[in-house]
Amino acid sequence: MSFSPLPVTVFVVDASGAILSWNKACEKLMGYREGDIDEITLDKLVEFHPALPLKLHADLHAGMEREAILRCADGRRLSVRMLVVPHALHSQQANAYSVALMPHAGQPLPRYEPLRDLPIGDVIEALPCVFYVVDQSGRLLLWNHQLEDTLEMEANDLAEMDISLFFDKDDRPAMLESILQAFQFGSSTHEVDLVGSYGKRTSFLFNCARTQLGKLPCVFGAGLDITERKRAEHRLLIRDRAMHSSPNAIVITRCDADEHRIEYVNPAFEQITGYTEAEVKGLDPGFMDVPGCDDDERHRIREALQRKEGVRSILRSARKNGEIFWNDLRIDPVKNRDGNVTHFVGVINDITEARHYERRLHQLAHHDPLTGLANRMLLQEKLSISIDNAIRDSTIGALAFIDLDNFKHINDSFGHDAGDVILRTVADRLRENMRDEDTVARVGGDEFVLVINEQPNYLHIADLVERIRQSVTLPVALGAKEIIPGISIGVSIFPKDGVNAETIMRAADAAMYHAKLLGKNNCQFYSSELSQKVHEHLLLEAKLSRAIYNDEMVLEYQPRVELRTGKVLGAEALVRWKDPADGLIGPDRFIPVAEETGLIVPLGEWVIEKTCGALKTLKERGFHDFVISVNLSPRQLRQRQFANGLMETLNKHGVNPANLELEVTESQLMDRPDEAIEALAQLKAVGVQLSIDDFGTGYSSLSHLQKFPIDSLKIDRSFLGNVSQSSHLVITRAIISLGHNLKLKVVAEGVETSEQLAFLRDHDCDQIQGYYFSCPVSLDKLLDMVNKATQMFH
């Protein structure tokens, strides 16, 4: 315990300087006894510098500190520092003053033994708390080392300081008030932080009591370090605030045998469930159960509670208004110090919106947004399950791969909105024809897939697929118009055609591809032979692409003869493919492939390039009026820059545009007549001649025919097959007459007999071509014919 290395002598004096009381240190230091104070005044004990006399009424009220000489009872004179402050903690109540006299170091002092004088000193030093004694001036008279450690100060400094400086400025009024209460009422209690010299803060619970040291009124007290308790309280406060502010509902139940009664719910519980705390306090949380829902989960929760274990579950609960919500529930046990579970804390997370969003995401991830059908991902899952079930149960199933015919044409002609109507209508019709246990999917722009489970036999599958085809191909109303969608269907059987989804899909796709090759709008079943055909077709596609760029294509020219004179006035350019490995491949094999794959565009450009080269050669030989005709594909006609590219090619070779004739089919023009008129007008502006090929096989009307800027008509060879048939003769005569009335040239193709020739001559056909006169020949042979001014007939 400390009382400063140099004892602090404390007097209490009145305003006149009369000593009212003093402490034990005063007696030890000066040698006076308790009974001597009645005869002694301050000026008899302390002398001041003559120039600085003590002025009690002025200096004492203001408080002062000065050097002085202390006169001891044995005649010694000690140099001291004197501090005078009001005796009361509140100076406005002062009617006495405390005078502290602190001897300077180095002076001979009497032996001071506080432990002998205070035999309980050892006990106080050993206390696990701060101990102190203060007088009415607010000065420390006695303290232990714990106070020094807490305040990070030496004993000398403590003896000189006002205790109010040990606290934060904001805490000082309350602390002084508490000490005053102890002086007035005998005791007080307060909590406050002591602040050390270097900023260390320690929270204490102080208990103060009034006492006397000699005749000096004092307050002694003990301060218990409650820093950890304060921190724990703060943590609890934070946790309580977190629980109160949590967006999740929190429920605390008391565990009493097998009962769990609610003790606390936070505001989020009230918001989520609609129940107030008052309504649910004392109830079992099971009152929110939804009868018949999630019974297995609730049983699992009850078992966990019986085992005093935590549990996590997602289940449905009921709000006060009866609305059902999805509850992500977590329950954890709370144990006391003995390890016994006394409470459970349940956290309720309303995941209703999340569940709905999750379902929407699942719908988006596994279904086509336009039609609502399963998408490719879900199809793969369903198909794999169906194949496994068929293998396990020894049943058969089918996969139907459906592709809409000419869907791009529908989009281009009627717009994408119309295309969407078609797709949704097809989807609805497919759904209507399928069972719930089957799967309908959309896997591409115009591609649908059916997974048909547990079928009795192949014939039943064939009947079902044909019924579906007929249903889908019924007319679809688009405003005042009707569209008849066509579909090509390929069917594979599982597990016969494969034991995994990839193989079955590939087989059905091959069958569908074969259905396209056979003219569309039909159904084909997969077979190994069909697979070989499709494989050959795919190889042909790959080889054709290389052939165009490897210059394996050649042009032959079929002469066109003027019927009146028998002279060769022109020719039709016909493309041939001379494959290095397979030899000559006919156009009937590779032209459809080129049309389907888009290779017809580069192939058509190559044909026009070579044709212009041939016309240049003819021009150089002096044949300025010779005309070569070239078949134009629908893809080429629809190209926006086709006319500009054609003009560049003609200019490059120096060819007169009138020497080039472009042939388009009647069906090609009638497919989109308005666009065709615009495209032909652009070509006519270039200066080339235009001809309608295969005339008579399409559906063109006279009004449309008058709008097309054409130069000639070519009668389809089918009308010359048998001139003995009166129906053919009537049509052929009508076409010739129609062409001449429209001031168009009329050309008959496929002339192979003298009877056909005679018929055409009798009815004034202008030009003819066919094997009766010449098969297609090379450019060199064509030049020989023209050079010799050959007459093909007499």
Side-chain angles (χ1 to χ4, degrees), residues 550-561:
N550 291 342
D551 208 24
E552 295 176 12
M553 315 305 292
V554 295
L555 276 187
E556 291 184 341
Y557 304 89
Q558 186 167 45
R560 204 159 75 186
V561 181

Side-chain angles (χ1 to χ4, degrees), residues 563-579:
L563 190 58
R564 183 174 57 81
T565 63
K567 290 185 177 181
V568 179
L569 299 180
E572 180 179 359
L574 301 172
V575 64
R576 301 289 186 262
W577 178 7
K578 289 188 177 180
D579 183 71

Side-chain angles (χ1 to χ4, degrees), residues 699-718:
Y699 303 94
S700 59
S701 65
L702 184 59
S703 61
H704 276 117
L705 194 60
Q706 289 176 315
K707 294 177 183 178
F708 295 137
I710 55 175
D711 300 289
S712 60
L713 300 176
K714 291 189 75 172
I715 302 173
D716 186 75
R717 66 180 64 244
S718 62

Side-chain angles (χ1 to χ4, degrees), residues 395-410:
T395 59
I396 62 171
L399 182 85
F401 204 111
I402 299 171
D403 186 84
L404 297 185
D405 297 332
N406 303 318
F407 183 69
K408 186 177 184 305
H409 166 60
I410 294 174

Side-chain angles (χ1 to χ4, degrees), residues 253-257 305 307-309 332-344:
T253 61
R254 183 181 68 257
C255 181
D256 187 5
L305 296 181
R307 296 192 303 269
K308 302 296 191 290
E309 296 176 352
D332 290 296
V334 180
K335 297 181 180 180
N336 60 18
R337 291 183 178 180
D338 298 329
N340 297 320
V341 175
T342 61
H343 293 78
F344 281 95

Side-chain angles (χ1 to χ4, degrees), residues 307-472:
R307 296 192 303 269
K308 302 296 191 290
E309 296 176 352
V311 65
R312 172 84 179 271
S313 177
I314 295 178
L315 68 167
R316 282 159 289 187
S317 299
R319 308 188 205 273
K320 183 177 180 180
N321 62 7
E323 179 184 335
I324 295 175
F325 70 97
W326 280 98
N327 177 2
D328 183 354
L329 175 64
R330 176 171 178 168
I331 303 175
D332 290 296
V334 180
K335 297 181 180 180
N336 60 18
R337 291 183 178 180
D338 298 329
N340 297 320
V341 175
T342 61
H343 293 78
F344 281 95
V345 176
V347 179
I348 296 172
N349 184 11
D350 183 352
I351 59 169
T352 306
E353 282 301 317
R355 292 286 287 195
H356 291 166
Y357 182 64
E358 186 179 300
R359 287 181 176 179
R360 288 195 296 271
L361 285 180
H362 187 273
Q363 177 74 16
L364 291 174
H366 292 84
H367 292 81
D368 170 51
L370 177 65
T371 63
L373 299 179
N375 63 7
R376 186 178 293 273
M377 181 184 298
L378 184 57
L379 170 68
Q380 294 280 354
E381 296 176 9
K382 295 284 190 179
L383 178 57
S384 295
I385 293 172
S386 295
I387 294 172
D388 292 342
N389 291 342
I391 295 172
R392 183 195 63 205
D393 301 335
S394 299
T395 59
I396 62 171
L399 182 85
F401 204 111
I402 299 171
D403 186 84
L404 297 185
D405 297 332
N406 303 318
F407 183 69
K408 186 177 184 305
H409 166 60
I410 294 174
N411 266 337
D412 293 344
S413 300
F414 301 97
H416 288 278
D417 289 343
D420 289 347
V421 171
I422 296 295
L423 291 173
R424 283 193 290 264
T425 302
V426 170
D428 292 340
R429 291 174 178 178
L430 292 174
R431 263 191 295 251
E432 290 168 1
N433 284 277
M434 299 292 285
R435 303 167 301 178
D436 291 340
E437 59 265 33
D438 298 328
T439 301
V440 184
R442 181 185 176 212
V443 297
D446 59 349
E447 295 176 336
F448 298 84
V449 175
L450 309 179
V451 180
I452 308 169
N453 296 306
E454 297 183 8
Q455 295 298 297
N457 51 57
Y458 298 157
L459 182 59
H460 191 274
I461 294 172
D463 290 342
L464 172 62
V465 173
E466 177 57 24
R467 187 169 69 249
I468 290 172
R469 189 191 68 79
Q470 293 179 9
S471 171
V472 170

Side-chain angles (χ1 to χ4, degrees), residues 255-307:
C255 181
D256 187 5
D258 290 334
E259 290 190 342
H260 302 277
R261 301 293 177 180
I262 296 175
E263 284 192 350
Y264 167 84
V265 295
N266 68 343
F269 176 90
E270 298 178 341
Q271 294 171 4
I272 290 174
T273 68
Y275 292 100
T276 65
E277 185 176 19
E279 289 175 308
V280 301
K281 212 164 187 178
L283 298 180
D284 186 292
F287 75 89
M288 292 188 296
D289 291 353
V290 179
C293 284
D294 310 308
D295 292 337
D296 291 341
E297 284 298 294
R298 299 187 190 283
H299 179 69
R300 189 169 66 86
I301 292 171
R302 286 193 295 271
E303 288 184 336
L305 296 181
Q306 289 175 358
R307 296 192 303 269

Side-chain angles (χ1 to χ4, degrees), residues 41-50 52-54 66-72 76-80 82 101:
T41 57
L42 184 60
D43 57 352
K44 292 182 179 181
L45 295 179
V46 181
E47 62 181 62
F48 301 95
H49 192 282
L52 298 170
L54 177 64
R66 65 170 62 182
E67 297 296 321
I69 300 297
L70 181 65
R71 301 187 191 103
C72 298
R76 287 179 295 114
R77 295 168 64 83
L78 298 177
S79 177
V80 297
M82 186 177 73
L101 301 173

